[in-house]
Amino acid sequence: DYDDAIARGHDALTFARAAHDTTTIARTLGNIGCALTGSGKYREALDVFAEAEQFAVDLGAINWRARSTAMRGGLHLELFDFPGAELLAEEARELSRSGKWKHADISGGIDLVLNFTRRGEIDRAEQIVDELVETIATAQGAHGWLWRLRYAQAQAEIAAHRGDHERSLMWAESVIKQSRALGRVKYEVAGLHGRALALDAQGNRHEGIVTLRAAVDRARSTHDPAMFLKPAASLLAVDGSDTLLAEARSAVARIIAALPHGIIVDRFQDADPVRVITSF
């Protein structure tokens, strides 16, 4: 519920500034940036992440700077700016290590795994997986369950690129199960999308299409244009409709209009899902 998250985030920010609570200010700025990203307000999100990073620099809080940098990298990753996302993930990991604060190091590492996998650089992705697996398996608290969920998604995508559709399906089912238990809609959509592609690759197109429709419907309910775009492009490729095509084109236009001009727009427009949508 991005609108509510943004509103409550600004309330928290007001209270924290009045109380000079620097920890809550730093945390809340990052949270607002993530909510703005989900709502498709990318320029605003980038401004908030920049504010969060400058606040952390002024405060001398390297951990909060690493966190905001990793979150900003996540925006680039969602919009297919893989080189930009890579640079930010590496920066976040370096900051995290220099501050002896592992959270952004691990989160940024998972971002790199997803990044390299989506670019088809599977060997690079698996090398990082090997570095992270023990820490992820033993991590506690909120980061522990989130890391394990994202790790499962990364494994599903790696297996899909390797052509191991049975293993991809297994990991996708794990992602769906974990996401539903934790209320993580973003990864539920990703899991459904992966499940659909694996089923289709195994020759079960009908069930794959049914699952793709479920992913599209679930993403649509969030009003997150980037989340919607990926399964929508896959569904258009196998079972499209004029209504879905118009909706997907509207999502593309909305994202482009919300982005700052420059290379991030070029990379978004050149991404495979976007080209599928614009080629019809």
Side-chain angles (χ1 to χ4, degrees):
D1 190 343
Y2 299 119
D3 289 342
D4 194 37
I6 293 165
R8 289 176 181 271
H10 281 295
D11 287 344
L13 202 56
T14 298
F15 298 146
R17 283 174 171 157
H20 304 287
D21 181 349
T22 55
T23 295
T24 300
I25 293 170
R27 182 189 301 277
T28 302
L29 284 169
N31 294 349
I32 292 171
C34 285
L36 288 165
T37 299
S39 65
K41 298 174 182 176
Y42 302 113
R43 274 192 295 268
E44 294 176 49
L46 289 167
D47 287 344
V48 170
F49 286 135
E51 181 183 355
E53 289 167 44
Q54 187 59 54
F55 180 78
V57 169
D58 294 343
L59 195 65
I62 200 166
N63 57 331
W64 295 116
R65 183 182 171 195
R67 179 179 186 260
S68 295
T69 301
M71 288 175 165
R72 180 158 59 97
L75 182 153
H76 287 256
L77 182 62
E78 288 303 300
L79 298 174
F80 314 109
D81 176 15
F82 298 125
E86 179 183 354
L87 288 173
L88 288 165
E90 292 286 14
E91 181 183 351
R93 298 189 83 194
E94 184 177 343
L95 287 166
S96 190
R97 290 166 180 166
S98 67
K100 295 181 172 56
W101 188 74
K102 68 180 180 181
H103 296 78
D105 185 16
I106 305 303
S107 295
I110 299 172
D111 282 345
L112 286 175
V113 173
L114 292 167
N115 189 328
F116 295 149
T117 301
R118 292 167 188 177
R119 294 157 80 173
E121 300 178 14
I122 306 303
D123 289 341
R124 293 181 75 189
E126 290 186 329
Q127 181 179 349
I128 297 176
V129 166
D130 291 342
E131 297 171 5
L132 300 176
V133 61
E134 184 175 347
T135 301
I136 291 172
T138 58
Q140 301 297 314
H143 284 91
W145 59 253
L146 181 56
W147 287 339
R148 283 187 283 276
L149 171 57
R150 300 186 70 223
Y151 174 81
Q153 177 61 30
Q155 288 286 16
E157 294 189 25
I158 289 171
H161 278 273
R162 290 288 192 197
D164 188 345
H165 304 300
E166 183 175 348
R167 185 172 176 81
S168 179
L169 182 60
M170 178 194 74
W171 279 110
E173 296 288 7
S174 175
V175 171
I176 295 166
K177 181 178 179 180
Q178 290 182 64
S179 298
R180 288 175 174 167
L182 297 165
R184 299 292 294 196
V185 179
K186 174 180 175 180
Y187 289 99
E188 181 184 353
V189 171
L192 288 167
H193 190 191
R195 179 178 188 268
L197 296 180
L199 288 167
D200 187 64
Q202 291 177 329
N204 192 346
R205 172 153 293 188
H206 172 72
E207 191 174 348
I209 288 171
V210 170
T211 305
L212 273 177
R213 288 174 180 161
V216 168
D217 288 344
R218 195 72 174 102
R220 184 185 286 121
S221 70
T222 70
H223 306 291
D224 181 333
M227 189 191 304
F228 168 80
L229 204 63
K230 298 164 193 174
S234 295
L235 183 56
L236 281 167
V238 294
D239 188 46
S241 68
D242 290 341
T243 301
L244 180 61
L245 178 59
E247 192 178 3
R249 285 176 172 171
S250 177
V252 169
R254 178 185 166 193
I255 290 171
I256 292 172
L259 283 171
H261 296 296
I263 197 164
I264 189 172
V265 175
D266 296 336
R267 287 171 176 162
F268 172 75
Q269 291 178 310
D270 197 45
D272 287 342
V274 179
R275 295 177 72 172
V276 166
I277 291 164
T278 57
S279 68
F280 281 97

